[in-house]
mmCIF file of all heavy atoms in Angstrom:
data_model
loop_
_atom_site.group_PDB
_atom_site.id
_atom_site.type_symbol
_atom_site.label_atom_id
_atom_site.label_comp_id
_atom_site.label_asym_id
_atom_site.label_seq_id
_atom_site.Cartn_x
_atom_site.Cartn_y
_atom_site.Cartn_z
ATOM 1 N N SER A 36 -15.034 41.466 7.900
ATOM 2 C CA SER A 36 -15.163 41.091 9.201
ATOM 3 C C SER A 36 -15.358 39.593 9.436
ATOM 4 O O SER A 36 -15.917 38.903 8.581
ATOM 5 C CB SER A 36 -16.354 41.944 9.909
ATOM 6 O OG SER A 36 -17.547 41.628 9.105
ATOM 7 N N THR A 37 -14.647 39.189 10.466
ATOM 8 C CA THR A 37 -14.620 37.625 10.613
ATOM 9 C C THR A 37 -15.975 37.137 11.129
ATOM 10 O O THR A 37 -16.826 37.869 11.578
ATOM 11 C CB THR A 37 -13.550 37.286 11.678
ATOM 12 O OG1 THR A 37 -13.976 37.919 12.966
ATOM 13 C CG2 THR A 37 -12.219 37.722 11.317
ATOM 14 N N ASP A 38 -16.138 35.824 10.940
ATOM 15 C CA ASP A 38 -17.363 35.161 11.488
ATOM 16 C C ASP A 38 -17.469 35.511 12.935
ATOM 17 O O ASP A 38 -18.571 35.759 13.403
ATOM 18 C CB ASP A 38 -17.291 33.598 11.229
ATOM 19 C CG ASP A 38 -17.438 33.308 9.740
ATOM 20 O OD1 ASP A 38 -17.951 34.197 8.987
ATOM 21 O OD2 ASP A 38 -17.164 32.120 9.443
ATOM 22 N N ALA A 39 -16.440 35.391 13.621
ATOM 23 C CA ALA A 39 -16.422 35.601 15.200
ATOM 24 C C ALA A 39 -16.915 37.023 15.483
ATOM 25 O O ALA A 39 -17.686 37.291 16.370
ATOM 26 C CB ALA A 39 -15.058 35.277 15.833
ATOM 27 N N LEU A 40 -16.415 37.986 14.692
ATOM 28 C CA LEU A 40 -16.724 39.334 14.903
ATOM 29 C C LEU A 40 -18.155 39.620 14.641
ATOM 30 O O LEU A 40 -18.878 40.302 15.383
ATOM 31 C CB LEU A 40 -15.848 40.283 14.054
ATOM 32 C CG LEU A 40 -16.082 41.738 14.105
ATOM 33 C CD1 LEU A 40 -16.115 42.299 15.638
ATOM 34 C CD2 LEU A 40 -15.262 42.554 13.254
ATOM 35 N N ASN A 41 -18.685 38.943 13.496
ATOM 36 C CA ASN A 41 -20.095 39.151 13.244
ATOM 37 C C ASN A 41 -21.026 38.536 14.387
ATOM 38 O O ASN A 41 -22.018 39.077 14.728
ATOM 39 C CB ASN A 41 -20.445 38.437 11.992
ATOM 40 C CG ASN A 41 -20.240 39.357 10.774
ATOM 41 O OD1 ASN A 41 -21.052 40.201 10.482
ATOM 42 N ND2 ASN A 41 -19.021 39.291 10.243
ATOM 43 N N TYR A 42 -20.605 37.327 14.934
ATOM 44 C CA TYR A 42 -21.362 36.742 15.973
ATOM 45 C C TYR A 42 -21.374 37.634 17.190
ATOM 46 O O TYR A 42 -22.463 37.846 17.837
ATOM 47 C CB TYR A 42 -20.701 35.408 16.343
ATOM 48 C CG TYR A 42 -21.631 34.613 17.260
ATOM 49 C CD1 TYR A 42 -22.710 33.913 16.805
ATOM 50 C CD2 TYR A 42 -21.416 34.618 18.722
ATOM 51 C CE1 TYR A 42 -23.632 33.215 17.721
ATOM 52 C CE2 TYR A 42 -22.214 33.986 19.540
ATOM 53 C CZ TYR A 42 -23.341 33.236 19.008
ATOM 54 O OH TYR A 42 -24.253 32.610 19.839
ATOM 55 N N LYS A 43 -20.303 38.251 17.463
ATOM 56 C CA LYS A 43 -20.120 39.264 18.583
ATOM 57 C C LYS A 43 -21.120 40.427 18.435
ATOM 58 O O LYS A 43 -21.863 40.809 19.377
ATOM 59 C CB LYS A 43 -18.713 39.632 18.778
ATOM 60 C CG LYS A 43 -18.179 39.797 20.244
ATOM 61 C CD LYS A 43 -16.809 39.797 20.283
ATOM 62 C CE LYS A 43 -16.278 41.251 20.639
ATOM 63 N NZ LYS A 43 -14.753 41.321 20.559
ATOM 64 N N LYS A 44 -21.049 40.876 17.165
ATOM 65 C CA LYS A 44 -21.844 42.178 16.961
ATOM 66 C C LYS A 44 -23.352 41.842 16.781
ATOM 67 O O LYS A 44 -24.150 42.631 17.203
ATOM 68 C CB LYS A 44 -21.338 42.590 15.495
ATOM 69 C CG LYS A 44 -21.430 44.062 15.109
ATOM 70 C CD LYS A 44 -20.566 44.433 14.016
ATOM 71 C CE LYS A 44 -20.863 43.771 12.657
ATOM 72 N NZ LYS A 44 -20.194 44.255 11.465
ATOM 73 N N LYS A 45 -23.713 40.771 16.099
ATOM 74 C CA LYS A 45 -25.136 40.559 15.756
ATOM 75 C C LYS A 45 -25.746 39.365 16.355
ATOM 76 O O LYS A 45 -26.935 39.120 16.223
ATOM 77 C CB LYS A 45 -25.332 40.355 14.222
ATOM 78 C CG LYS A 45 -24.795 41.661 13.317
ATOM 79 C CD LYS A 45 -25.113 41.495 11.868
ATOM 80 C CE LYS A 45 -24.699 42.624 11.007
ATOM 81 N NZ LYS A 45 -24.644 42.380 9.649
ATOM 82 N N GLY A 46 -24.889 38.574 17.085
ATOM 83 C CA GLY A 46 -25.552 37.303 17.734
ATOM 84 C C GLY A 46 -25.770 36.216 16.696
ATOM 85 O O GLY A 46 -26.492 35.243 17.025
ATOM 86 N N ARG A 47 -25.258 36.321 15.532
ATOM 87 C CA ARG A 47 -25.464 35.220 14.652
ATOM 88 C C ARG A 47 -24.303 35.226 13.550
ATOM 89 O O ARG A 47 -23.681 36.337 13.401
ATOM 90 C CB ARG A 47 -26.868 35.248 13.830
ATOM 91 C CG ARG A 47 -26.918 36.396 12.858
ATOM 92 C CD ARG A 47 -28.019 36.253 11.846
ATOM 93 N NE ARG A 47 -28.037 37.436 10.875
ATOM 94 C CZ ARG A 47 -27.341 37.484 9.799
ATOM 95 N NH1 ARG A 47 -26.437 36.564 9.483
ATOM 96 N NH2 ARG A 47 -27.418 38.604 8.985
ATOM 97 N N TYR A 48 -24.109 34.155 12.889
ATOM 98 C CA TYR A 48 -22.961 34.020 12.052
ATOM 99 C C TYR A 48 -23.507 34.370 10.578
ATOM 100 O O TYR A 48 -24.725 34.183 10.258
ATOM 101 C CB TYR A 48 -22.421 32.516 11.932
ATOM 102 C CG TYR A 48 -21.623 32.216 13.213
ATOM 103 C CD1 TYR A 48 -22.153 31.382 14.152
ATOM 104 C CD2 TYR A 48 -20.412 32.793 13.349
ATOM 105 C CE1 TYR A 48 -21.440 31.000 15.270
ATOM 106 C CE2 TYR A 48 -19.710 32.452 14.537
ATOM 107 C CZ TYR A 48 -20.155 31.615 15.463
ATOM 108 O OH TYR A 48 -19.423 31.259 16.637
ATOM 109 N N PRO A 49 -22.604 34.945 9.735
ATOM 110 C CA PRO A 49 -23.060 35.151 8.424
ATOM 111 C C PRO A 49 -23.480 33.869 7.642
ATOM 112 O O PRO A 49 -23.183 32.913 8.032
ATOM 113 C CB PRO A 49 -21.775 35.798 7.719
ATOM 114 C CG PRO A 49 -20.914 36.221 8.899
ATOM 115 C CD PRO A 49 -21.201 35.315 10.077
ATOM 116 N N ILE A 50 -24.261 34.039 6.628
ATOM 117 C CA ILE A 50 -24.660 32.917 5.816
ATOM 118 C C ILE A 50 -23.420 32.332 5.117
ATOM 119 O O ILE A 50 -23.203 31.116 5.103
ATOM 120 C CB ILE A 50 -25.766 33.315 4.809
ATOM 121 C CG1 ILE A 50 -27.025 33.938 5.463
ATOM 122 C CG2 ILE A 50 -26.245 32.148 3.890
ATOM 123 C CD1 ILE A 50 -27.748 33.035 6.340
ATOM 124 N N TYR A 51 -22.609 33.255 4.500
ATOM 125 C CA TYR A 51 -21.451 32.848 3.719
ATOM 126 C C TYR A 51 -20.311 32.757 4.784
ATOM 127 O O TYR A 51 -20.089 33.842 5.508
ATOM 128 C CB TYR A 51 -21.021 33.724 2.669
ATOM 129 C CG TYR A 51 -21.958 33.774 1.471
ATOM 130 C CD1 TYR A 51 -23.134 32.998 1.287
ATOM 131 C CD2 TYR A 51 -21.651 34.707 0.383
ATOM 132 C CE1 TYR A 51 -24.035 33.027 0.122
ATOM 133 C CE2 TYR A 51 -22.454 34.762 -0.734
ATOM 134 C CZ TYR A 51 -23.666 33.865 -0.884
ATOM 135 O OH TYR A 51 -24.413 33.947 -1.948
#
Side-chain angles (χ1 to χ4, degrees):
S36 54
T37 60
D38 288 347
L40 177 56
N41 274 278
Y42 189 80
K43 219 161 106 185
K44 203 165 63 172
K45 298 183 181 170
R47 69 165 181 83
Y48 288 107
I50 304 294
Y51 291 0

